């Protein structure tokens, strides 16, 4: 019998979660006008303990994209922590 993967725990506080992540900003690709092409508003978060990577370039604001990345990271951890109930 194999060992079950460990349950991933992440901080509830956004600031504490950001301290566990590597934050990279870059220029968004695709259409969006002049503003998108001149600012580094896209964000990539790499969660160091798990290696999970999420990106967001939907918003014109780097701050908004960072918040969206945090939400995506929490969703990804939730998916990985899901264990179906035994029948």
């Amino acid at each position: 019998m194999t060992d079950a993967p460990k349950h991933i725990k992440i901080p509830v506080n956004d600031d504490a979660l950001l301290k566990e992540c590597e934050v990279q900003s870059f220029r968004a690709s695709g259409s969006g006008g002049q503003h998108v092409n001149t600012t580094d508003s896209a964000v990539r978060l790499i969660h160091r303990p798990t290696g999970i990577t999420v990106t967001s370039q939907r918003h014109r604001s780097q701050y908004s994209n960072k918040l969206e990345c945090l939400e995506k990271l929490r969703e990804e951890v939730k998916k990985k922590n899901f264990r179906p109930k035994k029948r």
Side-chain angles (χ1 to χ4, degrees), residues 1-73:
M1 203 166 157
T2 60
D3 292 331
K6 292 185 179 182
H7 185 78
I8 301 169
K9 293 184 180 181
I10 59 173
V12 178
N13 184 353
D14 285 348
D15 290 332
L17 181 55
L18 276 173
K19 287 180 183 176
E20 291 185 354
C21 296
E22 179 182 338
V23 180
Q24 299 174 346
S25 60
F26 57 97
R27 197 161 284 158
S29 63
S31 63
Q34 293 173 339
H35 183 75
V36 168
N37 297 328
T38 59
T39 62
D40 292 345
S41 60
V43 174
R44 178 183 299 119
L45 284 184
I46 303 169
H47 189 239
R48 287 187 204 104
T50 60
I52 297 172
T53 302
V54 292
T55 60
S56 175
Q57 58 185 22
R58 184 186 312 189
H59 306 284
R60 284 176 40 170
S61 161
Q62 189 179 100
Y63 177 76
S64 298
N65 283 328
K66 195 180 295 184
L67 291 179
E68 186 171 325
C69 278
L70 289 171
E71 289 176 21
K72 285 182 177 182
L73 179 60

